[in-house]
Amino acid sequence: MWRIRDAVTRSVSAENPTGEPGRGGAALDGPNASAAWDLGQGWKLSPYAVLAPGAPQVIADLTGPGTVQHIWFARPPGADRSLVLRMYWDGEEHPSVEVPFGDFFCSGWNVPTLVNSFPVAVNPNGGYNSYWPMPFRQAARIEVESRHHTPVNLYYQVTYELSPVPDDAAYFHASWRRSHPTAWAEPHVILDGVRGRGHYVGTYLAWQANSAGWWGEGEVKFYLDGDIEFPTICGTGTEDYFGGAWSFEQPAGAYREYSTPFLGMPQVITGSHTPNRFGMYRWHIPDPIHFRSDLRVTVQALGWRPDGRYLPLRDDISSTAFWYQREPHAPYPELGDIEVV
């Protein structure tokens, strides 16, 4: 913090959509113009963008070199899973980030929750914050596509630094997948098809248990650099991977939510009218998982039979994988069904 560096700070929002110096809050018209009719220019005339259903809208179109440092959104009520967030680096054709809105911020169930972690914070009442550093060399484009049935008012701010980017800086990536439900005795694939060199930095799971009983006995596995049948890294259970133990029960018989800098289960949704739903994150920031040529990540959906044998489950699992790698990257599969019912 005490070093003077060769850098300048810029920020884009609905009040300064280009990030141009000295042009914040200079709109002469906007969706809140009527609220400022007696105050005029400079008094919050255009604090949000209106997203129409169907068409992606660019919210940041940046020229580098630089690094996106902080992204903030106000949660659109009820629209977490009907918005898609995409990010493109240096003019690439396929997005490096393509994730439903809420899942990117560890909030995959269209229900508000609080997250207190190092790179992602969700604060009252739906303040979505990302501190993942995202370097780019020539250009960066961030867009949001609305699949909501009505227009969405999107409040946002993207803060970035214009500064040299080191040669060894990798690009930020995030990809979403869903098994709805998981195939019998087949793992859910969190990430596959990654080619090149980089390091894996995080997992978020939105997990719906479609049967009674414990659902988290399955192992998380990392297949690295040519692994085929068996992985190099294999955990001992789902709750263990997310830093918990013994079915997340504390006291016995009750799930306990928690949120820490690098791992947590901040969301537990239980009730008589819906299946049990959970939101869990694990950030590999102090312990990134390095790969040199390829990477595949899976998790098993596994419970117990009454006779003490394991029971493969047919659960609804949505996963978001976060990693850095050198470009180019392989295109992601189609998102498919993203809605929460």
Side-chain angles (χ1 to χ4, degrees), residues 140 156 219:
Y156 68 93
E219 296 173 335

Side-chain angles (χ1 to χ4, degrees), residues 76-153:
D80 303 81
R81 269 281 180 90
S82 57
L83 303 181
V84 179
L85 181 63
R86 296 188 180 94
M87 302 182 193
Y88 301 79
W89 313 125
D90 293 347
E92 61 186 351
E93 179 182 358
H94 303 287
S96 287
V97 173
E98 187 176 42
V99 180
F101 198 77
D103 295 71
F104 188 84
F105 296 97
C106 303
S107 303
W109 290 117
N110 280 348
V111 177
T113 190
L114 299 181
V115 179
N116 182 24
S117 81
F118 188 80
V120 173
V122 181
N123 304 321
N125 179 26
Y128 284 173
N129 296 269
S130 164
Y131 286 95
W132 291 109
M134 305 174 188
F136 56 97
R137 290 175 171 85
Q138 287 86 40
R141 186 171 92 251
I142 301 175
E143 66 181 32
V144 179
E145 176 194 350
S146 175
R147 300 184 181 181
H148 205 56
H149 57 280
T150 59
V152 172
N153 295 339

